[in-house]
């Protein structure tokens, strides 16, 4: 990892020769696509488009890849490996960006993201496939935190809800095109082409985003101040949380008495690391920043853990093709963007707490409704309708937590606080995927790999229900957490 770190001499030279990035201001009329921000906005939205297309395309191809590699019992691990390694990368990226600007972690992250896709696409065994997903996670963790720092530095508080809404809107086209393209490629050329083909898309974001980022958000937040050293303690805690999450995921998939040992070791690593990396009071939903960060984890973890099993459920239980299974979730991209757009309207600012509560109710309802298609008489389109409702809620919740985080963070701490938000997001994904994967495997879910994925197999519906219903309960708990995000001052 030392090869990724800029030397002190390099940073000092850069700080001496490069002016501090401009303070985020706007004329009151200039929007995110106005003259001031146009190039930057287009560039970073292209980066989000890449991430979105990867997520939607890979999710469609995953059931076929898992079956061909004889790893359906490790299906959840293929998703959580990404989040496990991204936990470490998020902390590194936050410190790296606060220290020398977001440009370097962003470039390194996009490169690692592409290399991970190539490794997964050429894997001959499930564990190699999972290793590729882990490399992707390193890249994704670097990229997402760096993007938050860019937004914090280059956009005023007035424009931040709009750029967050644009990020959500950039998922609409991939959510429709991604499953269709991925399913078609998977069925006619093979799932590997889905993975090895996506890295070509790296070229456009790099060419478009980097010059604008260098101009508007490059360098440290204050070039007149000494360059801060890396906080080695936080980096060690980040490594501990990643290792602990990996051990817990392994224990959840193994389901033997011996798995208690790695499970206990994982818990022993995670608990102190979480207490050290997240703001004090996060675990008890203290008002303000701690609850914002906790709510992000509750929302993202419950939704992603459930969504990861939707294509597999539709393919194995209702006999849909990979293309149709992926398309069943396509409309969710549009409603996610709609939810994010709603939160970006100025008139919604005084009602953000109620918006968060309503969003979490929609998420809980959607997750609870999805497994109804395990009943043969329930039409398959119910999943698509439910997921459209859930994505509407997620669009409002995810964008709102991002806006609140940046509102509560001074510029010099944007990287660290953004990393904490993403750690809550990623760790919740890992833990809830581990729990869901363990329940899925314990109830015979891994046996679906013995069947043809194009034929319906109704022998393990309980395995899927054991994933969705607990996640709905977690999402419902998020409604209470949403009541805690408002900071109470002077008893008001």
């Amino acid at each position: 990892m030392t090869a990724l770190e800029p030397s002190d001499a390099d940073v000092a030279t850069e700080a001496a020769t490069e002016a501090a990035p401009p303070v985020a201001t706007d004329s009151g009329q200039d929007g995110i696509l106005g003259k001031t921000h146009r190039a930057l906005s287009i560039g970073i939205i292209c980066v989000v488009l890449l991430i979105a297309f990867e997520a939607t395309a890979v999710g469609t191809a995953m059931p076929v890849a898992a079956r061909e590699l004889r790893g359906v019992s490790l299906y959840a691990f293929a998703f959580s490996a990404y989040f496990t390694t991204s936990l470490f990368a998020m902390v590194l990226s936050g410190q790296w960006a606060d220290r020398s600007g977001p440009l370097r972690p962003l470039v390194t992250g996009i490169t690692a993201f592409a290399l991970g896709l190539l490794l997964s696409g050429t894997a001959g065994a499930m564990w190699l496939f999972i290793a590729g997903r882990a490399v992707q996670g390193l890249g994704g963790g670097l990229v997402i935190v760096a993007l938050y720092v860019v937004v914090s530095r280059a956009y005023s508080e007035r424009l931040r809800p709009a750029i967050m809404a644009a990020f959500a809107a950039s998922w609409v086209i991939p959510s429709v095109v991604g499953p269709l393209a991925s399913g078609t490629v998977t069925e006619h050329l093979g799932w590997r082409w889905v993975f090895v083909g996506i890295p070509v898309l790296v070229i456009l974001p790099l060419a478009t985003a980097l010059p604008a980022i260098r101009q508007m958000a490059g360098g440290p937040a204050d070039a007149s101040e000494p360059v801060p050293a890396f906080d080695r303690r936080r980096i060690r805690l980040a490594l501990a949380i990643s290792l602990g999450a990996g051990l817990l995921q392994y224990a959840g998939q193994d389901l033997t008495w011996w798995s208690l040992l790695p499970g206990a070791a994982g818990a022993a690593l995670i608990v102190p690391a979480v207490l050290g990396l997240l703001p004090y009071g996060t675990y008890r939903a203290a008002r303000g920043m701690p609850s914002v960060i906790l709510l992000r984890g509750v929302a993202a973890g419950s939704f992603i853990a459930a969504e990861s099993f939707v294509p597999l459920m539709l393919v194995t239980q209702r006999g849909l093709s990979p293309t149709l299974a992926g398309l069943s979730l396509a409309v969710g991209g549009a409603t996610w963007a709609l939810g994010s757009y709603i939160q970006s309207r100025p008139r919604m600012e005084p009602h953000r707490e109620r918006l968060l509560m309503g969003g979490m109710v929609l998420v809980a309802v959607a997750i609870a409704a999805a497994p109804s298609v395990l009943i043969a008489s329930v039409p398959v389109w119910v999943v698509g309708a439910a997921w459209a409702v859930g994505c509407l809620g997620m669009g409002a919740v995810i964008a709102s937590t991002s806006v609140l985080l940046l509102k509560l963070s001074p510029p010099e701490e944007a990287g660290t606080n953004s990393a904490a938000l993403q750690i809550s997001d990623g760790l919740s994904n890992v833990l809830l995927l581990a729990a869901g994967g363990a329940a899925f495997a314990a109830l015979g879910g891994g046996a679906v790999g013995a069947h043809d994925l194009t034929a319906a197999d109704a022998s393990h519906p309980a395995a899927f229900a054991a994933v969705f219903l607990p996640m709905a309960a977690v999402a419902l708990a998020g409604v209470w957490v949403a009541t805690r995000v408002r900071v109470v001052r002077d008893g008001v």
Side-chain angles (χ1 to χ4, degrees):
M1 192 57 69
T2 56
L4 301 181
E5 298 177 0
S7 68
D8 291 339
D10 289 340
V11 173
T13 300
E14 180 179 85
T17 58
E18 184 178 27
V23 177
T25 60
D26 62 84
S27 64
Q29 302 296 326
D30 193 14
I32 63 172
L33 293 179
K35 182 179 179 181
T36 303
H37 296 91
R38 184 182 300 126
L40 177 62
S41 296
I42 293 174
I44 61 178
I45 288 171
C46 284
V47 175
V48 177
L49 274 170
L50 168 65
I51 297 173
F53 191 81
E54 181 274 340
T56 55
V58 167
T60 302
M62 194 73 78
V64 178
R67 178 176 180 269
E68 183 174 314
L69 295 174
R70 301 181 183 277
V72 173
S73 62
L74 300 176
Y75 186 78
F77 217 166
F79 286 95
S80 63
Y82 179 100
F83 300 114
T84 299
T85 54
S86 68
L87 293 171
F88 172 76
M90 288 168 187
V91 175
L92 177 63
S93 183
Q95 292 198 34
W96 197 352
D98 283 344
R99 188 172 187 258
S100 58
L103 189 62
R104 292 180 179 180
L106 186 63
V107 173
T108 304
I110 292 177
T111 303
F113 193 80
L115 290 176
L117 282 166
L118 292 174
L119 180 57
S120 290
T122 56
M126 191 63 178
W127 282 107
L128 289 175
F129 180 88
I130 292 171
R133 294 286 292 165
V135 175
Q136 274 184 262
L138 287 172
L142 290 171
V143 168
I144 192 64
V145 173
L147 286 178
Y148 271 71
V149 176
V150 171
V151 171
S152 173
R153 295 188 182 183
Y155 296 86
S156 68
E157 185 173 327
R158 183 184 71 86
L159 293 178
R160 289 171 190 165
I163 190 63
M164 291 300 174
F167 283 175
S170 66
W171 280 75
V172 175
I173 294 177
S175 68
V176 176
V177 176
L180 179 62
S182 175
T184 302
V185 170
T186 298
E187 291 177 27
H188 297 284
L189 297 178
W191 64 268
R192 295 182 185 277
W193 286 99
V194 175
F195 288 83
V196 300
I198 292 176
V200 177
L201 302 177
V202 169
I203 299 172
L204 179 61
L206 282 177
T208 307
L210 300 189
I213 293 173
R214 184 185 297 276
Q215 178 182 0
M216 298 190 67
D222 188 348
S224 64
E225 293 292 326
V227 177
F230 279 100
D231 187 338
R232 297 183 183 278
R233 174 180 173 274
R234 288 184 66 84
I235 291 177
R236 286 196 298 269
L237 290 175
L239 182 59
I241 206 172
S242 292
L243 290 175
L247 287 170
L248 281 177
Q249 180 66 35
Y250 174 80
Q253 293 294 297
D254 190 36
L255 296 180
T256 65
W257 286 107
W258 290 106
S259 66
L260 292 176
L261 294 177
L269 288 169
I270 282 181
V271 172
V274 168
L275 294 177
L277 289 173
L278 300 185
Y280 178 76
T282 299
Y283 70 94
R284 57 181 175 84
R287 285 196 176 274
M289 180 77 78
S291 288
V292 171
I293 289 176
L294 178 60
L295 179 61
R296 178 59 163 263
V298 170
S302 59
F303 191 79
I304 295 300
E307 186 178 57
S308 298
F309 284 86
V310 169
L312 187 66
M313 179 176 66
L314 293 176
V315 169
T316 60
Q317 304 300 300
R318 297 301 297 265
L320 269 65
S321 68
T323 302
L324 291 178
L327 283 175
S328 67
L329 305 179
V331 70
T335 56
W336 189 304
L338 177 61
S340 187
Y341 171 78
I342 291 172
Q343 68 79 36
S344 73
R345 309 319 298 157
R347 69 174 66 94
M348 297 303 299
E349 187 60 37
H351 310 291
R352 197 168 291 279
E353 180 181 332
R354 292 182 181 178
L355 186 65
L356 289 169
M357 294 171 62
M360 290 308 303
V361 169
L362 295 180
V363 171
V365 169
I367 296 174
S372 64
V373 298
L374 294 169
I375 303 172
S377 60
V378 175
V380 173
W381 59 259
V382 168
V383 170
W387 230 245
V389 170
C391 285
L392 178 66
M394 285 294 288
V397 171
I398 296 300
S400 289
T401 53
S402 300
V403 170
L404 287 171
L405 176 104
L406 295 177
K407 182 178 181 179
L408 296 172
S409 299
E412 66 275 9
E413 297 177 6
T416 298
N417 289 339
S418 296
L421 185 77
Q422 298 301 326
I423 286 171
S424 177
D425 188 320
L427 180 61
S428 180
N429 288 336
V430 171
L431 295 181
L432 292 180
L433 273 168
F440 181 74
L443 293 176
V448 300
H451 300 273
D452 185 352
L453 283 175
T454 62
D457 169 29
S459 60
H460 298 284
F464 290 97
V467 174
F468 287 95
L469 298 183
M471 297 309 150
V474 172
L476 196 59
V479 178
W480 173 77
V481 179
T483 66
R484 308 280 295 171
V485 299
R486 183 168 59 91
V487 178
V488 177
R489 294 187 176 93
D490 298 328
V492 180

